[in-house]
Amino acid sequence: MISLSLHHIAQTLGGDLLLVGDDTLDTEVSGRVDTDSRVVGPGDIFVAKPGETTDGHLFVPAARTAGAVLAIVEHPVDEPITQIVVPDAVAALADLAREVVARVRARGALKVVGITGSNGKTTTKNLLARILQDEGETVAPRASYNNEVGAPLTMLRVTEGTRFLVSEFGASGPGAIAALAGLVHPDISVVLMVGMAHAGGFGGIEGTFRAKSELVHALRPGGVAVLNADDPRVAQMAPIAADRPASVRWFGRGGAADVRAEDVEVTADGTSCTVFADGASAPLRLRVLGEHHVMNALAAIAAATALGVSLADAVARLETVELAERWRMQPLGSQRVRIINDAYNASPDSMSAALRTLAQITGPGERTVAVLGAMSELGEYAGEEHDRIGLQAVRLGIQRIVVIGPEARRLFLAAVGEGSWDGEAVFFATADEAYDYLTGELRDGDRVLVKSSNSAGLRFLGDRLGEFFS
């Protein structure tokens, strides 16, 4: 974090400052801000956030011992560390992030990019950060730091020398993106797609549309909305951008997009295409698995070129990316048995894309195996969407379907009902049972997709299979 006085921080948070030791109102702090006492170090600021299973106030002593010089708390803690007492620690975190970004922006050339979408946020964030880091100091979220805690923590990592802040915005409910994006008002807002992910929490796809469009509403006047020209719902956000007013930069596979891809070819080693932007073209060899990641790459290129990066530079930097993120289309195992661990998140759209990729990258004499778990947060749509994925897996010709967990049982039943098979689709209640089956069933030439929502825990099964067949 940038250097701020204790007085200024307390004033920003509207909290009561309790000084300890030699600290004064003018004492400056500039360390890392975090809610996890295990990563706090000398000079850092610890935010004691109450949680569902524990209370951050219990870890103020550990944070002080680790070297923290300031604790932001909701009630005083009997510990010799300077504290700022606030009504709501999470709200205070947001207030501090807003102030820090505003001060850096006022002093320098900081540009803020916000990214949202039902799928692809983290991959696009990582691709864009890779492009921008060669242009100047770039701050981007670790993992999927995109909620009311993670997004402000990322914002608080900016320094006086930061040139780009890339923020990923998830939506826990209506108004969530508006609140987070409103802390920084992005110069560029990227909307990837509007799909069924989390539809249960928004009352359907139209609710998801309204939630994702909040990022375009939050644009700074004169900013740029980077929108998916191939998604009809995202395309409907263009008038929102005009009202800011902001310009629109389209990405997609169609000829009308400002940044588009042609001649897309998918293999087990990655995806190749030709990218066109602003009258220029360049071949792109993306090592991240999956045709669907072409759209994420196009979104990153569209944002980067809007910030002045050349197409040639953007493409060259993307080609150095070997893995977008752990547990996202992550190749494991060996050439003998290839495991693709994509079990960090799952929605109907991402599940469908991953199954298509499995079918595309499997060659003659190789067998497709899909290890599938539940897709969460679909609410009333869960049954029909699991049915649809089961049907799609059969129609894509996936040769072995392994379904895990009671929440995914309808996927298994749909697959069995669609195919006239004898054992090609199997069901297990637990990942351990599936592991025992798969270690005996998988054979040379198998290409195995492991896909589920985070809550199903199949990412750990994917890791175990990858190690077993390495």
Side-chain angles (χ1 to χ4, degrees), residues 212-279:
K212 300 305 180 185
S213 66
E214 290 170 9
L215 185 58
V216 183
H217 281 288
L219 265 170
R220 289 169 67 87
V224 180
V226 174
L227 303 179
N228 183 348
D230 298 348
D231 186 317
R233 290 185 176 86
V234 175
Q236 291 174 22
M237 299 180 191
I240 300 172
D243 288 342
R244 290 303 297 157
S247 61
V248 175
R249 189 160 173 80
W250 300 100
F251 69 94
R253 300 279 292 272
D258 299 301
V259 180
R260 71 183 194 278
E262 295 182 3
D263 304 321
V264 177
E265 183 179 353
V266 181
T267 72
D269 298 319
T271 307
S272 63
C273 63
T274 301
V275 179
F276 296 84
D278 306 316

Side-chain angles (χ1 to χ4, degrees), residues 340 354-362 368-370 398 447-449:
I340 303 170
L355 286 170
R356 289 197 304 272
T357 297
L358 177 64
Q360 289 171 323
I361 68 172
T362 304
T368 50
V369 181
I398 305 302
R447 300 296 176 255
V448 186
L449 170 70

Side-chain angles (χ1 to χ4, degrees), residues 118-121 144 193 195-199 292 327-329 341-355 371-379 382 385-386 388-389 408 411 449-459:
S118 297
N119 301 109
K121 294 183 293 296
S144 293
M193 65 177 300
M196 289 297 294
H198 316 297
H292 51 296
W327 297 318
R328 288 177 170 84
M329 299 303 286
N341 193 352
D342 193 34
Y344 188 82
N345 273 320
S347 68
D349 295 303
S350 69
M351 186 78 83
S352 178
L355 286 170
V371 182
L372 307 176
M375 301 176 287
S376 62
E377 300 183 57
L378 293 175
E385 291 300 329
H386 282 89
R388 187 172 68 82
I389 294 301
L411 193 161
L449 170 70
V450 183
K451 181 71 174 172
S452 74
S453 282
N454 201 329
S455 59
L458 297 196
R459 61 196 185 282

Side-chain angles (χ1 to χ4, degrees), residues 125-126 139-146 150 154 157 166-168 325:
K125 171 261 299 184
N126 288 337
V139 170
R142 302 180 182 95
S144 293
Y145 269 34
N146 62 21
T154 299
R157 286 169 45 213
V166 180
S167 289
E168 176 184 339
E325 187 83 22

Side-chain angles (χ1 to χ4, degrees), residues 2-21:
I2 63 172
S3 182
L4 294 173
S5 71
L6 291 173
H7 173 69
H8 188 91
I9 296 173
Q11 194 174 47
T12 297
L13 305 186
D16 296 324
L17 179 59
L18 307 178
L19 295 169
V20 168

